[in-house]
Amino acid sequence: METMSAATEPTSPPPFAAVVIDFFGTLTHSASDEAWFHAAAASAAPLGLPAEQWRETLSDSFVERATGALGDLSETFRALARRCGIDPSDAALAEACEARVTAQNALFVCRDDAPEALRALKTRGYRLGLLSDCTPELPVAWPRLAVAGYFDTAVFSCDEGLKKPNPAFFHLVCDRLGVAPGDCLYVGDGGSRELTGAAAVGMTPVMLRAADWHGSSAHDREDDWPGPEIASFTELISMIDAPGLSARSLLAHHQDRD
């Protein structure tokens, strides 16, 4: 049987109208816990705080930061520094924010096969949406990322005051894509219980469990996800090109593989 390449046009109508993709650990490489610690340490130093304390403060405030509840990056860092018992100078705060942006940007590295897969999906006629639980650094950097141009919309939790698995967040990306949830394939690493959340609104969720998934962690990740999964974006293209693919056949394929 002939194997279809990512550049080959499909011979049957697309089984879904859109593909919605998570950012951290899905579109990007999964960052190890050590990498997140070093990223936190970079902004702790200008504030004069122990890296361990600052990392814990960042972790504890993730939901607030991811929903924009503390304001922009500078406002957020000032509020969190005060929780740690200090009131930083404007200069120290600016240096900490600059260090944070630099450290975060270093983590915005997409998987090697992602650009070609995104191009292939666009060629096949899919609308593409990004749905990310993130802090303000990502929306600022997003337009400069090479993959941004492939997406029809990008929805960021910190801009919307919503995060996964809130159903309204998933409905929002569908509305901006102009498609029904039932016509969307959702791809994510399972952070913030996103796969269960996507399924709850009628999307078809698939976990991207790449090799680096096992050496990382994410907020409230669905490590026990029982549904369909793939190991790469290359596999996504092969799967989505399968004749007769549908939400039902995708689940059946997963069960047969088990």
Side-chain angles (χ1 to χ4, degrees):
M1 181 174 65
E2 181 181 358
T3 301
M4 297 186 71
S5 68
T8 304
E9 294 284 353
T11 57
S12 58
F16 300 98
V19 180
V20 177
I21 302 172
D22 170 52
F23 186 74
F24 290 103
T26 303
L27 192 59
T28 71
H29 295 282
S30 296
S32 66
D33 290 342
E34 182 180 7
W36 284 114
F37 178 82
H38 285 304
S43 53
L47 297 171
L49 289 169
E52 295 84 355
Q53 180 186 13
W54 188 236
R55 171 61 175 150
E56 183 176 354
T57 300
L58 290 173
S59 296
D60 290 346
S61 63
F62 174 73
V63 173
E64 293 174 284
R65 293 185 296 114
T67 54
L70 300 178
D72 63 19
L73 181 58
S74 180
E75 292 167 335
T76 294
F77 270 21
R78 188 179 294 281
L80 295 181
R82 286 172 174 166
R83 290 183 189 180
C84 294
I86 66 168
D87 195 357
S89 67
D90 290 346
L93 188 64
E95 186 178 350
C97 290
E98 182 179 358
R100 172 70 176 182
V101 169
T102 299
Q104 286 291 96
N105 286 350
L107 299 177
F108 299 162
V109 179
C110 290
R111 298 187 181 279
D112 294 344
D113 61 346
E116 173 60 17
L118 296 173
R119 189 199 66 78
L121 290 170
K122 293 298 291 182
T123 298
R124 285 154 172 74
Y126 294 99
R127 294 185 63 75
L128 297 182
L130 184 88
L131 191 68
S132 178
D133 278 1
C134 63
T135 52
E137 302 91 312
L138 179 56
V140 172
W142 176 251
R144 301 192 298 271
L145 300 185
V147 295
Y150 291 109
F151 286 84
D152 298 287
T153 191
V155 183
F156 304 109
S157 63
C158 59
D159 287 343
E160 306 299 337
L162 297 168
K163 69 176 292 297
K164 307 165 191 174
N166 189 325
F169 198 39
F170 294 95
H171 281 295
L172 183 58
V173 71
C174 292
D175 290 345
R176 292 186 182 173
L177 287 170
V179 300
D183 292 327
C184 289
L185 184 70
Y186 184 88
V187 184
D189 69 331
S192 294
R193 306 202 66 78
E194 61 186 343
L195 302 172
T196 298
V201 301
M203 293 179 169
T204 298
V206 175
M207 173 180 273
L208 194 147
R209 197 192 300 255
D212 58 9
W213 182 95
H214 302 278
S216 66
S217 62
H219 175 76
D220 202 16
R221 191 172 71 180
E222 298 179 272
D223 292 353
D224 57 351
W225 169 247
E229 64 180 60
I230 53 176
S232 67
F233 277 98
T234 300
E235 185 177 347
L236 171 65
I237 299 302
S238 297
M239 178 195 74
I240 211 164
D241 279 340
L245 178 70
S246 65
R248 180 177 297 178
S249 67
L250 180 60
L251 182 57
H253 171 73
H254 168 71
Q255 292 169 338
D256 288 344
R257 186 170 67 176
D258 289 347

